Amino acid sequence: ILDSAYFECLYKLDYVMDLLKPYNKPDEMRLLVGNKYTQFQSYTNYITDSLVNANPEEYKPQVIGLSEQGQAYNIRPASKQAKRSNYKEISIINRNNNNIIAAYELNSRQAIKFEETIKNPDWNIATETDSVLGYICQKATTHYAGRNWTVLFAPEIAIGEGPWKLRGLPGLILKAEDNDKHYVFECIALQRLKTKKTINTESKYRTVSKADYQKQIKNFFEDPIGTINRQFEGTGAKITIHKTNENADLIRKYNPIK
């Protein structure tokens, strides 16, 4: 446990993660704010993980038998299907020194993370205003991590945080979008927590370099079957899928937020 969050903000996220299918997918994200740390992740995945941890047997497929080479056959599907977001990254930022832990669970056998120190975006604050959730917000712009961003922040909420790594303004960021509208965050709910929630890391994540982290995620997104099969090299087990119109969506081009 790193910290206890006193504030929670939920964002609706519309994003284009697959450039071959440039339409926005909806999701919900959660920002937890503590005195020392923030945590940002998919709220959909958070809820699903809570359900799976509470009832693991209901979400686990049953392997009826194994071949001599260790290959599974006759697999009975899980009684319940876990709904998951494609936005799998969890970002934990140290508010005092800007150190970030980025963690990503590729699948049940692979979970990776890296750490680095980041710089806050260099913001240009405009005089334009707008409202989000009834709060009067100011407009600000920046070029950050390869994208041009426009945000609306609420000076009334004196928390200099926001979605993802967008932070460092004199107020909470309630809306943010890049110029291409590939990633659009808009606050849909916020609250000061009566019961504090923990911000924590998990031991299941293996530390890798940032370059390896990005490479593994790209490979997994664009070639999920190949990524899984590489885990079983030397065991004789292998998954094969013949591409048809029904599973053509397995061909994807990764568009990370970075």
Side-chain angles (χ1 to χ4, degrees):
I1 296 176
L2 299 173
D3 201 358
S4 295
Y6 65 86
F7 191 85
E8 179 183 60
C9 184
L10 297 183
Y11 295 89
K12 176 188 176 185
L13 168 61
D14 289 310
Y15 62 107
V16 177
M17 191 167 281
D18 181 0
L19 288 174
L20 297 181
K21 303 172 186 63
Y23 58 87
N24 293 85
K25 291 188 64 176
D27 203 349
E28 285 188 9
M29 307 298 295
R30 181 179 75 159
L31 172 68
L32 290 178
V33 181
N35 290 320
K36 296 180 180 179
Y37 290 88
T38 64
Q39 180 171 307
F40 186 70
Q41 70 180 118
S42 164
Y43 190 59
T44 302
N45 289 346
Y46 166 76
I47 294 297
T48 295
D49 288 341
S50 300
L51 292 173
V52 172
N53 289 336
N55 306 282
E57 293 303 317
E58 294 184 358
Y59 291 89
K60 185 169 65 176
Q62 302 297 314
V63 178
I64 308 304
L66 290 173
S67 68
E68 293 182 359
Q69 293 77 25
Q71 188 168 0
Y73 67 91
N74 197 6
I75 300 176
R76 182 183 300 156
S79 58
K80 291 184 178 181
Q81 296 301 309
K83 180 183 178 182
R84 293 198 178 275
S85 162
N86 280 327
Y87 195 113
K88 296 183 178 182
E89 186 170 80
I90 300 173
S91 302
I92 299 174
I93 297 177
N94 185 317
R95 301 183 70 188
N96 296 322
N97 61 16
N98 280 15
N99 186 70
I100 183 172
I101 301 171
Y104 196 104
E105 186 172 356
L106 297 166
N107 53 48
S108 60
R109 297 171 60 92
Q110 285 182 296
I112 56 178
K113 69 177 181 179
F114 80 93
E115 296 186 38
E116 69 171 351
T117 300
I118 59 174
K119 291 183 178 180
N120 287 343
D122 185 12
W123 295 104
N124 296 306
I125 299 177
T127 58
E128 299 171 52
T129 62
D130 204 342
S131 65
V132 180
L133 284 184
Y135 291 93
I136 300 300
C137 298
Q138 281 186 260
K139 178 181 175 182
T141 58
T142 188
H143 180 78
Y144 187 70
R147 297 179 187 269
N148 292 314
W149 291 92
T150 300
V151 308
L152 293 171
F153 69 96
E156 184 180 342
I157 307 174
I159 298 174
E161 302 294 341
W164 184 53
K165 302 175 187 176
L166 301 174
R167 56 199 303 270
L169 283 164
L172 181 68
I173 296 173
L174 297 186
K175 186 173 181 180
E177 63 182 36
D178 69 296
N179 277 13
D180 295 321
K181 297 189 185 304
H182 283 181
Y183 287 85
V184 180
F185 302 92
E186 183 166 2
C187 179
I188 55 175
L190 50 82
Q191 65 172 331
R192 182 172 288 274
L193 297 170
K194 294 180 180 179
T195 302
K196 292 185 177 182
K197 299 181 180 181
T198 58
I199 295 175
N200 59 284
T201 58
E202 296 187 42
S203 59
K204 67 179 180 180
Y205 292 97
R206 178 173 57 89
T207 300
V208 297
S209 69
K210 182 177 181 179
D212 191 31
Y213 177 90
Q214 293 174 331
K215 179 181 178 181
Q216 287 196 50
I217 294 174
K218 182 177 185 295
N219 288 343
F220 175 75
F221 190 86
E222 296 184 353
D223 183 21
I225 303 304
T227 302
I228 293 171
N229 282 333
R230 282 190 286 274
Q231 297 178 56
F232 295 100
E233 286 181 353
T235 66
K238 186 176 182 180
I239 297 174
T240 302
I241 291 184
H242 298 286
K243 292 177 181 177
T244 65
N245 291 334
E246 286 73 24
N247 59 33
D249 61 342
L250 290 175
I251 304 171
R252 303 182 291 185
K253 185 176 181 182
Y254 189 40
N255 180 34
I257 189 172
K258 295 183 181 179

